[in-house]
Amino acid sequence: MIYLTRRETFNAAHRLFRPEYTDEKNFEIFGKCSNPNWHGHNYTLYVTVKGELNPQTGMVINLKMLSRIIKEKIIEKVDHKNLNTEVDFMQGKMASTEMICIAIWDELERPIREMGAQLHCIRVEETENNFVEFFG
Ligand code: NI
């Protein structure tokens, strides 16, 4: 079994809040990410796949196709967008790094399986100091 990771970056806006809470209570729980007028992060996404080497190609997955799928299914939908309001796969979800990570897993798991590999890990870095990993 061999593992391969593709890195991508995107910029997106979000807000962490519950609409039934006051701005003060949202700030208490979510901190600066609850800013009522939105704010953005420079996110880094790592998609790790695993599988057996294809003896003909010496590769675990076609990297060009993997990169294209990540761009199509994720990056084009989130880059320079508002995660709360503009991204189909985030509708009705809290725009936390955890939820983003799980939602990206759900979008990529099947297409990667159809390419003959297995999704192993989605890692989303929101800042230099905060990141989330999801293994399904
Ligand atoms: Ni934030």
Side-chain angles (χ1 to χ4, degrees):
M1 186 76 75
I2 193 149
Y3 296 73
L4 177 146
T5 301
R6 171 78 192 175
R7 174 182 177 273
E8 300 280 351
T9 57
F10 61 95
N11 312 321
H14 81 154
R15 182 188 178 203
L16 295 181
F17 72 113
R18 295 208 61 93
E20 67 269 30
Y21 295 170
T22 61
D23 286 351
E24 290 71 26
K25 187 167 178 188
N26 275 313
F27 184 79
E28 231 174 81
I29 295 169
F30 300 111
K32 288 203 294 193
C33 280
S34 73
N35 177 36
N37 290 315
W38 316 104
H39 64 282
H41 294 280
N42 296 319
Y43 291 93
T44 307
L45 165 66
Y46 296 89
V47 177
T48 302
V49 305
K50 65 182 171 186
E52 300 301 335
L53 279 188
N54 176 326
Q56 262 83 48
T57 62
M59 303 191 298
V60 61
I61 197 167
N62 184 316
L63 197 49
K64 207 169 163 184
M65 279 173 67
L66 176 64
S67 155
R68 190 188 308 153
I69 280 195
I70 298 169
K71 285 212 173 77
E72 245 177 60
K73 301 261 176 204
I74 310 296
I75 304 301
E76 281 167 14
K77 293 183 178 184
V78 295
D79 191 34
H80 289 74
K81 295 291 191 326
N82 182 317
L83 296 171
N84 293 72
T85 63
E86 293 182 284
V87 177
D88 56 0
F89 63 77
M90 288 302 296
Q91 287 311 297
K93 296 173 186 169
M94 191 72 77
S96 65
T97 314
E98 292 89 328
M99 297 294 279
I100 296 164
C101 205
I102 294 169
I104 291 175
W105 175 285
D106 289 341
E107 295 302 299
L108 293 181
E109 197 273 329
R110 191 172 144 191
I112 286 170
R113 190 158 22 93
E114 286 170 355
M115 290 169 63
Q118 262 179 282
L119 183 54
H120 174 68
C121 177
I122 296 294
R123 172 179 170 130
V124 178
E125 297 176 350
E126 190 185 67
T127 69
E128 270 180 25
N129 299 320
N130 298 328
F131 64 86
V132 170
E133 291 174 310
F134 185 60
F135 297 87

